[in-house]
Each structure stands twice: as structure tokens, then as C-alpha cells.
Amino acid sequence: MVDNASPDHSVALLREKNFGRFQLLLNPENRGYAGGMNFGINQALADGADWLWLITQDITVEPNALKTLMDLWPKLDNPGMLGSLTDLNATEKIYFYRAFIENGQVRHKTKGRSIPEIPELRQEFGVTDYVNGACIFTHRSVIEKTGFIPEEYFMYFEDCEWGLRASRLGFNNYVSYCSRAHHWRESESFNPSAEYYCRRNSFLFKARNGFGKPWTKTLELARLYKLLFKFKIKSALGSKDVNIGKLIPILKEAASDLHSERFGKRHSNQ
């Protein structure tokens, strides 16, 4: 269990809970999703672990989730990373089951869909271009070839690159539809970090993975400025959407950092 330099009282609370067999690792600085996971992966490998199950703090799993993944692994063709069918807030609404990377664009095709309406999910497993970073099961032998999770993004898109790297090395990525995980969040909550990092890191992902063209950065900036102009107009017209006022400075910051190619941890430190 890794604490990624939490600024609150998380460490004291975790120690108070006394999770028994779990080892609490204290990352001396917040290195983002990848940095936190890599800190734990490195320790696990040093301790001789062969299997690794990466789970973020906003995920809970069904009691048989891990056993299902371990039983499925040997049935798969050269597996690299294996995920669980992940719902939103323990409902039938899908959070993640499959993703596509098409010319550098990451597609999920799950928005608004529910588990019962997708016939594919009645099968034991399915293929995916990458496994969502909230819940990844893999083996030491895979990491020895792929390397650790790229930390340049700080958060968002690093799982896409890691999965893509695995597939380019000849591994296949899968999701078990019989292993169930729950992603917990307020469905209508506004996430400024997600808004910033997703919009900024889209270009970084393309540039780092062979999808970038001489005009890619210009197009990404044009999309950001188009959105910024749209939200400024809505704000001027008195829109009642409270998130518009929050989005405008985030889009400005993302555009500025993309233009200057400032990546890693958000410089505003918000």
C-alpha cells in the first residue's frame, strides 16, 4: 500500500487501521499516479513478487475478483495486462470494459451504457488496447520487458502508453468480464485535475507514441482555444452552468502549458 505524499492525515489513519499483512510504503513526494504505482511496483519486485495487482484508492473489488484474474491468466494468449469489468458506484453503469487507440485518439465507447445491454460482457473475457490504470493485474515478466509506467504525464494517459507499449512488444491486453471492480465517484462532480491533465496530455501521448504530425500541436491548441471561446461566450450570455466559470481558467492554463510544452506535475500546483 503506497501513500503518495498525502498532505492530510492519511498516513496516521492508515497506521491506525493496522491492515496486518499490508506493508505501508511512504512515497517522499507526490509523483502522480505513475510515480506512486512505480514506487510500489519497485518494492514488490525487490521483495520477490511475481504477480502485481495495481488498484487505486477509489476502487473496491468483489471478493472473487483476484482469484478470477489469476485463474484466467494461463488461459490467455501471451497476456500483458489484465483488467476487471469496472462499474460506476457499484451499479450496472459501465466505467471501463474496453478501450481503443485509433491514430492516437483514445476511445472508450461506453458513455451512458450499462452492462446488461452489451452482449459481449456475457463472455468470460475480451481484448482491449490498454487496461484502465485504476485496476491492472500483470506479471513480473511483463514489467521486465515493458519497463515501469511512464511518469511524464503525472496523471492520465500513462496507462494508455503502458498498454500500448506492451502490445507493441507482442503482448495482448485483456479484461475479465467475470472479475468485477467498482469505481467510486460522485457522478456529477467536477474534477479540475482531470479537465487539465486530460486536455494537456492528449498531445503528449500522440507525440511520445508515434502519432504526432508537424501540425498535431497546432490542432490540439486550436481545439482548446475553440472550447475556451465557446465557454467565454456562454459565460457572457449568463449561462447557469456553474462549471463554465471553473473551466475557463483551466483551459487557459492547459493551453499555455501545452504551448510551452510544460508537462509533468501541474505547475499551478492546484
Side-chain angles (χ1 to χ4, degrees), residues 12-65:
L13 290 172
L14 289 170
R15 284 176 170 159
E16 181 183 320
K17 292 293 183 181
N18 188 15
F19 287 100
R21 292 169 56 190
F22 286 92
Q23 180 182 2
L24 178 59
L25 304 176
L26 304 181
N27 202 348
E29 62 177 317
N30 181 1
R31 291 160 43 200
Y33 165 83
M37 286 295 184
N38 287 340
F39 190 71
I41 292 170
N42 187 62
Q43 184 63 56
L45 295 179
D47 289 343
D50 289 324
W51 299 98
L52 297 104
W53 196 23
L54 313 181
I55 301 176
T56 55
Q57 76 281 1
D58 49 8
I59 289 285
T60 59
V61 296
E62 291 293 311
N64 67 339

Side-chain angles (χ1 to χ4, degrees), residues 44-52 138-145:
L45 295 179
D47 289 343
D50 289 324
W51 299 98
L52 297 104
T138 189
H139 191 267
R140 167 191 287 269
S141 59
V142 177
I143 295 177
E144 287 173 348
K145 292 183 178 180

Side-chain angles (χ1 to χ4, degrees), residues 218-238:
T218 300
L219 285 177
E220 293 289 328
L221 283 169
R223 291 190 184 101
L224 280 172
Y225 287 129
K226 180 180 178 181
L227 276 174
L228 184 57
F229 178 74
K230 173 184 175 181
F231 290 136
K232 281 185 174 181
I233 292 295
K234 285 189 173 183
S235 178
L237 293 175

